[in-house]
Amino acid sequence: MEKYELIAPCHFGLEAVLKREILDLGYEISKVEDGKVTFLADAQGIADANIFLRTTERILLKTGEVKAVTFDELFEKTKAIPWERYIPKDGRFWVAKANSIKSKLFSPSDIQSIMKKAIVERLKEVYHISWFPEDGPEFPIRVSFMKDIATIGIDTSGISLHKRGYRQMTVKAPITETLASALILLTPWNKDRILVDPFCGSGTFPIEAAMIAADIAPGMNRSFLAEQWRHLVPRGCWYQAKEEAMDRVKMDIETDIQGYDIDPEALKAARSNAKMAKVDKLIHLQQRPVSQLRHSKPYGFIITNPPYGERLEDREALPAIYKDLGESFRNLDKWSMYMITSYDRAENDIGRKADKNRKIYNGMLKTYFYQFLGPKPPRKTEKKESL
């Protein structure tokens, strides 16, 4: 199969997690940059990446990388890209998104318009037609300028990959599924360890943890734009990826994954979403304030997205919430806590300085992923049979 360069965007600060996921799928990394990882793959890789990667927003098929400081230069260099390799005569194509950082060309609408004209001119010459019906498969094109270098790709995913299909009900300011997965994968948690989210909202952290525990591929129950690109990605690639995804699911596991919230509507949404994700049997959800967080066993994990005071709560209420979280955490035996928040007094109110923290951009909001590390559990030793 022909090799392509694929671009996987992610949250700034979480590139290493996505890189590890791609390597685990067996594909070669060609570049890691702020907010994206580029890798080499064939048509099967397009299907695999969309179905199995938990931490990327979408998969782009890279068509070119050009330097352009004028619109004439952008037109000519866009036109020089072999678009006929990707877009058939009946393909519906448009420049869906353009962004620009530290570049002379910065108007998204002008970039989109110039590039569309250039692609039309190229395909007119190649296909010897003057009008395109555009009633076939969709090919939304995305371009990103950084210091006058334009990276151009076609979106293979369509709807963002954070939309797994299970979150039918939500609450205000939910964390995205891709970000929740990435944060879980940043921790040493595994399916044999306890996980509690005391501010679970619509259940994203517990649901993503349960999907990781049961090895449920995030994209196995949804569709993708590139499924219609049969000239590029044979249907067999999708069948193979989805069959592998089904074979990997392990529902006969025991887990201790819990979610608490004080809002009954949030819990209603969480239960509905867990059922839709088919992991409701692996999660325990309960209405309970963070002050009542208890667990009898040691070495557990709190992984949570508490209120920031941006949209959900008055900032005046935050000190008490974080103080209660800190007190509950101190009463847990040998636990670790991982928490994403933009609240700048989080450590002060919790009453402990984090062992580590990592800056992560959640959309345009700068947040920190605070890591309060507990001791590692003792290694399990196998009992040797006496001779």
Side-chain angles (χ1 to χ4, degrees):
M1 282 190 185
E2 189 174 356
K3 281 285 181 78
Y4 304 102
E5 267 197 298
L6 303 180
I7 303 168
C10 64
H11 286 84
F12 283 86
L14 295 173
E15 299 83 4
V17 180
L18 176 55
K19 177 183 174 182
R20 189 170 73 236
E21 273 203 287
I22 293 166
L23 290 172
D24 287 346
L25 274 182
Y27 295 104
E28 180 187 346
I29 305 291
S30 56
K31 193 187 292 185
V32 179
E33 302 165 90
D34 286 346
K36 64 182 177 183
V37 179
T38 305
F39 61 104
L40 304 174
D42 54 14
Q44 185 62 55
I46 294 174
D48 289 347
N50 275 293
I51 287 170
F52 289 105
L53 292 180
R54 298 182 189 278
T55 64
T56 183
E57 295 302 310
R58 62 187 67 250
I59 300 298
L60 304 176
L61 172 56
K62 185 176 175 181
T63 60
E65 190 169 277
V66 302
K67 182 174 183 180
V69 296
T70 68
F71 284 115
D72 284 343
E73 193 174 18
L74 179 62
F75 180 91
E76 293 301 331
K77 289 185 175 178
T78 301
K79 188 181 173 186
I81 293 170
W83 292 101
E84 66 279 3
R85 181 182 172 194
Y86 313 104
I87 302 172
K89 282 184 186 180
D90 65 345
R92 180 174 172 242
F93 58 96
W94 70 102
V95 183
K97 187 169 184 180
N99 59 49
S100 178
I101 299 171
K102 298 179 182 176
S103 301
K104 292 181 178 64
L105 303 181
F106 56 83
S107 165
S109 59
D110 289 335
I111 292 168
Q112 289 168 295
S113 176
I114 292 292
M115 290 184 67
K116 168 78 176 187
K117 288 175 185 174
I119 299 166
V120 167
E121 288 305 309
R122 168 83 186 201
L123 295 181
K124 273 184 180 178
E125 292 175 11
V126 172
Y127 290 135
H128 307 293
I129 54 176
S130 58
W131 179 80
F132 293 90
E134 296 200 54
D135 56 1
E138 295 182 353
F139 296 84
I141 296 152
R142 291 179 168 239
V143 57
S144 177
F145 270 89
M146 170 60 79
K147 296 180 180 178
D148 299 321
I149 304 294
T151 303
I152 306 163
I154 307 175
D155 180 10
T156 72
S157 305
I159 296 170
S160 174
L161 295 180
H162 81 264
K163 296 193 175 179
R164 320 290 206 209
Y166 67 73
R167 198 155 75 181
Q168 304 299 309
M169 295 182 69
T170 187
V171 293
K172 289 181 182 178
I175 192 167
T176 66
E177 295 88 328
T178 45
L179 179 54
S181 259
L183 296 179
I184 293 167
L185 293 173
L186 263 181
T187 77
W189 178 82
N190 64 61
K191 69 179 187 301
D192 299 321
R193 306 280 294 273
I194 304 155
L195 186 151
V196 177
D197 179 1
F199 303 97
C200 74
S202 55
T204 310
F205 269 127
I207 291 169
E208 290 294 319
M211 290 177 70
I212 292 168
D215 204 2
I216 298 172
M220 68 181 289
N221 293 313
R222 55 160 287 176
S223 59
F224 311 93
L225 275 186
E227 288 183 76
Q228 306 305 315
W229 303 357
R230 294 178 192 175
H231 61 300
L232 288 176
V233 189
R235 296 198 75 174
C237 293
W238 299 102
Y239 293 143
Q240 182 175 320
K242 290 191 176 183
E243 188 175 341
E244 181 185 342
M246 287 188 283
D247 287 345
R248 282 170 51 169
V249 175
K250 296 178 182 69
M251 293 304 293
D252 58 340
I253 57 171
E254 289 187 14
T255 58
D256 190 345
I257 299 171
Q258 303 182 29
Y260 305 139
D261 207 284
I262 58 170
D263 180 1
E265 287 302 309
L267 285 168
K268 181 181 176 184
R271 289 190 178 104
S272 172
N273 295 337
K275 193 170 184 180
M276 185 69 70
K278 298 182 172 61
V279 295
D280 50 311
K281 301 291 191 294
L282 301 177
I283 298 172
H284 174 71
L285 298 165
Q286 188 176 355
Q287 186 174 351
R288 185 190 291 192
V290 66
S291 59
Q292 292 180 22
L293 171 55
R294 303 282 186 274
H295 203 291
S296 59
K297 293 182 181 177
Y299 303 110
F301 287 76
I302 295 172
I303 304 179
T304 193
N305 174 40
Y308 300 175
E310 304 290 332
R311 289 166 288 177
L312 282 176
E313 303 277 344
D314 256 349
R315 289 189 77 83
E316 293 175 5
L318 295 183
I321 292 172
Y322 283 78
K323 184 182 176 186
D324 284 346
L325 176 60
E327 287 181 1
S328 291
F329 176 51
R330 279 189 291 278
N331 289 325
L332 293 165
D333 184 18
K334 302 182 183 69
W335 278 48
S336 300
M337 179 165 70
Y338 297 81
M339 172 186 70
I340 183 170
T341 183
S342 66
Y343 178 46
D344 56 5
R345 291 184 58 80
E347 290 171 299
N348 181 75
D349 293 340
I350 283 170
R352 174 178 163 182
K353 186 171 176 57
D355 298 288
K356 296 180 182 179
N357 74 59
R358 181 187 288 248
K359 188 192 299 180
I360 293 167
Y361 280 88
N362 185 4
M364 298 303 292
L365 183 65
K366 183 170 74 173
T367 63
Y368 287 91
F369 189 49
Y370 293 100
Q371 302 166 55
F372 301 87
L373 307 179
K376 293 180 181 178
R379 286 187 177 181
K380 292 179 181 177
T381 55
E382 292 183 13
K383 292 181 179 178
K384 292 182 179 179
E385 291 184 10
S386 56
L387 295 172

